[in-house]
Amino acid sequence: MNHIKTLLITVLISLLCSCFMESTENRLEDDFVINHAVTFEHRGSKTNKPQKGNLFQVAAISNKKINANGLLIKGAQDAFYMDVVSVFCGEDVCRIDPVRLYWNELGRYQRFALKPKVTLEKGNGEGFESEDYIKLQKVLRNLNSGLGEYYKDELINTKGSANTVDALSGATVAMLKTDYIEGAVWTCYTLWHFANQELPHIIRNITGEQYTLSELQNIIQNGELEYKLFAIEQLTRRHFIDEHSIELVIKQSQIKNRMLDLAIIDYVEQLPTQPYYESMLDIIAEKNSSLHLLALTSLLNTENTIPANFYGTLSDQVVSFDSYQNIRLLQTIIKNKKVSNNEIISSFITLLQHDNFVIARSVYWFLAEQKLSPQQNELMNTFYQKNNHKL
Amino acid sequence: MERRRFLKFSAVGLVGVSIVPMAANASSNSWQLADRSKDNWTNLGKATKDIPNRKKIVTYDVAVIGGGGAGICAAVAAARNGAKVVLVQDRPMLGGNASSEIRVRLNGVNRLKTGLAERETGIIEEFLLKNRFENPQESYPVWDNILYDFVVSEPNIDLMLNTSAMKSKINGNKIESVKCWQLMTETEFTIKADIFIDCSGDGLMAASAGAEYRTGREGKAEFNEKYAPDKPDGWQMGITSLIWAKDMGKPMPYSPPSYVIKLDLADSHPHRKVKQLEEGFWWLEIGSDDDIIAEYETNRHKVMGYVHGMWDYVKNSGKYPEAANYALEWLATIPGRRESRRFIGDYILSERDLTEHKHFDDAVAYGGWSLDEHNPGGIEDLKEPPSYFHERFAEVYQIPFRSLYSKNISNLLFAGRNVSQTHIALSSSRIIATCSLMGQAVGTAASLCIKHGALPREVGKKHITELQEQIMRDDAFIPKHPAKDPKDLAKKVSVIFASSTKTGNATALTNGFSRDIDGNINHWQSTGIPANVQMEWEEPVNLSKVEIKGDTNVHRNIMMRKDSRDDDHFINHVPEELIKALTLEVRIKGQWKQIGLIENNRTRLAKFSFDSVKTTAIRIKIAETYGKDSAKLFEVRAYS
């Protein structure tokens, strides 16, 4: 049984390593490569100056997975690549090797490749083992890696009891061991920041520039989640604020995804005042309480001039709220902005009958501070008589 | 400053005391230590011939023997939960192995296989944080004083320093009293108590009571232990004298003393590395395969000889030119001990309980240091590695209450390295912070014994849930045992929400887990500061206490170290995550009213205590941390 297991592991490692080895000369003939000269930040840089590099975009490939504009269609993995150094060595004792990194058109890191006969080295002079290459791929694919939390100076422990430094041993780096390869912390750190920090944003924007407005709208309407996020982000960046775009973006609130909700609010917050408030009302009309929270927080903090009838219309929607926190937040907005009126009170007073008593009680105390009509006071008295023991 | 009662016996802590006239039994007890009937004392102040009184009887609810980490935590836990406690320590300072005279690092679950710590909270964390606030200079003598202040500020504790617990008096299977000798006052104390806790390490008090114990290594077969020897033997890990050295900035000569024992590490195991010139060598160790306690003075002399032999080798062999400017600045003349007696409880914790992470219904503490079994022979077996470090843990293991009380002495609890466990289990659990968690557990158990008029075994059988809940309420952590305190009104809230959420969820604050663990997020973290959390009940509740567990980053170590490490594993300052200032508001008739303000908070567990109010909602406002720009909480509790 152990023999079979060993054999399987050996075969797997061989296959994976062959994926990492690649000649730059054997790309397919009909690939069309665009060279983008880019400038970007890298936390590992010893000079602390922006880095300059050539980011290559593969604009067409032989398998014809291209769209009408000659760009790779979504899902094509090697849309961009860059040749980078394996390590900005922290202690000047590392060997630097060239490594090619690949991203898809959304800037998501895909894989790395090495030229034939190039192998990566650990800080202590030992070469990477087969398992290390496999782990490096996992490390670089992890968007939530602890490597993203550190600045380069924090990786070196000058007070460690060991005589070695982290560049060599990795022994005193306080990260999950899944986040780095022991003995190769600097390599992991350097490559991870190339793969996952500023370059992905640059790639997204290059790709975004190559889509037309109608293509972006089409992606929002028909694309998968990560493409919707990308397209909304590009609409925001390029300041596309036409009516159709706004409508499409607001409609995405039905999906109820946290990342999408944040992208929607970012988009709406850069709209001019009138479409901003109108969009907020549209958002509130959708049944998405976590997006409601973001929208109400935005309204609480906005410095835009308030349209006269806005809060009355907003309060009309309050009966449909199912979140106590959002109802409390709306009360805070009305109180802070001093915009209470009879229309608002009329909307709130219906909530005295709310099935959720905690909500009804908060409305009671909110209304107790408002100027009420005799009829409204009567409703308040009835509520008080019935619930006095629970107030 | 309020004067403390170092056995002045005038204040509330004492349940009873009597002074026995010496003359009454002088003739029959003339060989007793306390007998002074032969004194020929002219007291010029009183113009009398006198006989000094050197014999006293005192009575407490709980007597804790041993003032190291375990004993301090036991005494404080028992006292805070209502028992009248005496803490007896045979040295002039508290701290045991971690005190200024021994200086062993206060290690705990410093680093799991994940690469991160799972640091201990509760009482042990409290005094480690106190040290960070009051001892930024990282002085060991000041650390002694921190511990002293921590203990004497507890109104229910009387502290007896320089006092050795010599002999137990038994009535049936119970300890009735313990005879102690207080060195500096030449006084014999008889301490009577309902419950006795032996946290002394060697456990003379428990042993003299007849509590079953064993020494040495179990054979593989007895507990099916992978790392145990094939056959049982007598080996016990040894004692070590630490040294500190200092770079003097110029070449410093060294001449060894007369008792030096020469060492040559040329052919020694490669793990015996000479790389920590400033902090000494933990592996300079002399153990025993027989009666390690009886051999202590012999071994102390020997290990001090080896210490100088080692330093002579470093300084004068020519192999360590980097040591040329170093000189010794401190040497421990009292070596730290690792192992001797292990008392037998209703359960003997063994290797597989740890490595297989056995779930105990009566778990009350945890550990996670590696299976750090030092080699038989110690420094006298240089070919072997100093420790085998058999196995490291991916997650913490549980310690059951049944390992913390005696099988045959009914009112005896223990905590520390002398608990009911095998030699291999000890190799991990002996670490000071782990022992301290056991201490908090048995101290809390002792208070329940007093409360219910019960003995430890009965607490384990009838009141184990109450014990676990109290331990967790007091901010110690029990793995895989979520808190479900039925008195906690926060469990009954209708709504919890926060002003902002960066990570986690406000609803996690009542889920019973007071740290992120086992891959689960159990916290709420704000996006910024100030931040608040609001909790609401449908029916009004009467509240007089609100208890909040904040963040100190339990994945980073805070104990003091000679090398003063300050990185992401160890810090040498107050954790920036700790909440510094917060307020508590209650809502009464629709209006928020502040009823609590804590400024300069110094503990993870922040407690608000106030006159009872009837309310439907509370709001906790976090105004400031010690540096972090967001607030993180793990638990909110509310009590009537």
Side-chain angles (χ1 to χ4, degrees), chain A residues 132-362:
Chain A
D132 295 327
Y133 288 108
I134 295 168
K135 186 169 182 184
L136 179 61
Q137 172 66 354
K138 285 183 183 171
V139 166
L140 298 184
R141 285 284 291 177
N142 180 10
L143 290 174
N144 299 316
S145 169
L147 291 166
E149 302 293 321
Y150 287 85
Y151 285 89
K152 66 178 187 296
D153 295 341
E154 296 172 316
L155 282 186
I156 302 174
N157 169 28
T158 55
K159 293 180 179 175
S161 56
N163 285 336
T164 51
V165 294
D166 291 325
L168 306 181
S169 69
T172 56
V173 177
M175 281 184 292
L176 288 173
K177 286 198 170 180
T178 51
D179 286 350
Y180 65 95
I181 298 165
E182 285 196 65
V185 176
W186 275 104
T187 300
C188 293
Y189 182 82
T190 304
L191 292 176
W192 190 91
H193 280 267
F194 274 123
N196 296 300
Q197 285 299 100
E198 196 174 349
L199 284 169
H201 297 290
I202 292 172
I203 290 170
R204 284 170 84 86
N205 291 344
I206 291 172
T207 305
E209 286 293 334
Q210 292 166 349
Y211 280 106
T212 65
L213 172 61
S214 64
E215 283 173 330
L216 289 171
Q217 289 172 336
N218 186 42
I219 290 172
I220 293 173
Q221 199 155 13
N222 302 312
E224 292 173 8
L225 181 63
E226 62 177 332
Y227 272 80
K228 286 177 186 286
L229 277 168
F230 160 75
I232 294 174
E233 170 194 302
Q234 292 304 316
L235 287 189
T236 305
R237 188 181 68 82
R238 295 171 68 184
H239 205 56
F240 287 137
I241 56 170
D242 58 283
E243 202 169 311
H244 183 51
S245 293
I246 295 172
E247 184 188 341
L248 281 173
V249 171
I250 301 299
K251 204 173 174 187
Q252 305 313 307
S253 60
Q254 295 168 356
I255 294 172
K256 299 183 180 179
N257 173 275
R258 172 82 178 162
M259 295 300 292
L260 209 49
D261 290 348
L262 289 167
I264 292 167
I265 291 295
D266 280 349
Y267 177 79
V268 172
E269 285 187 334
Q270 51 98 48
L271 296 175
T273 301
Q274 188 174 343
Y276 168 77
Y277 284 112
E278 288 172 357
S279 298
M280 285 298 175
L281 288 176
D282 291 339
I283 285 172
I284 296 294
E286 298 288 350
K287 295 253 179 220
N288 180 346
S289 63
S290 70
L291 183 59
H292 289 176
L293 180 62
L294 294 172
L296 291 166
T297 304
S298 175
L299 286 166
L300 181 65
N301 297 323
T302 186
E303 292 175 359
N304 288 346
T305 309
I306 307 162
N309 60 348
F310 173 77
Y311 291 105
T313 312
L314 182 63
S315 298
D316 285 345
Q317 306 280 0
V318 75
V319 289
S320 65
F321 283 15
D322 55 5
S323 161
Y324 170 73
Q325 185 175 10
N326 289 344
I327 291 172
R328 288 285 304 161
L329 195 50
L330 181 54
Q331 292 169 9
T332 304
I333 291 169
I334 291 163
K335 195 173 170 182
N336 286 6
K337 297 188 182 286
K338 298 184 174 67
V339 292
S340 181
N341 59 36
N342 194 50
E343 188 182 359
I344 290 171
I345 291 168
S346 298
S347 298
F348 271 96
I349 209 150
T350 59
L351 292 179
L352 289 174
Q353 309 301 320
H354 203 287
D355 292 340
N356 182 339
F357 177 74
V358 174
I359 290 176
R361 183 174 59 197
S362 82

Side-chain angles (χ1 to χ4, degrees), chain B residues 403-416:
Chain B
S403 292
L404 306 183
Y405 62 82
S406 171
K407 178 182 177 182
N408 64 315
I409 300 297
S410 63
N411 63 341
L412 173 63
L413 291 149
F414 24 72

Side-chain angles (χ1 to χ4, degrees), chain A residues 171 324-325 361 365 369, chain B residues 111 498 536-538 589 591:
Chain A
Y324 170 73
Q325 185 175 10
R361 183 174 59 197
W365 289 119
E369 294 181 336
Chain B
R111 189 167 181 156
E536 228 168 287
W537 290 264
E538 185 163 328
K589 295 189 186 305
Q591 300 296 315

Side-chain angles (χ1 to χ4, degrees), chain B residues 381-420:
Chain B
D381 190 0
L382 289 170
K383 299 281 187 193
E384 284 290 299
S387 172
Y388 296 116
F389 291 115
H390 296 298
E391 203 162 305
R392 291 173 65 194
F393 297 100
E395 59 180 272
V396 297
Y397 57 79
Q398 301 177 358
I399 297 171
F401 181 57
R402 283 166 295 149
S403 292
L404 306 183
Y405 62 82
S406 171
K407 178 182 177 182
N408 64 315
I409 300 297
S410 63
N411 63 341
L412 173 63
L413 291 149
F414 24 72
R417 62 181 169 85
N418 62 7
V419 304
S420 180

Side-chain angles (χ1 to χ4, degrees), chain B residues 450-465:
Chain B
I450 303 303
K451 176 183 171 185
H452 295 295
L455 293 166
R457 183 176 286 120
E458 194 180 345
V459 166
K461 286 183 174 168
K462 292 183 182 173
H463 308 290
I464 189 66
T465 304

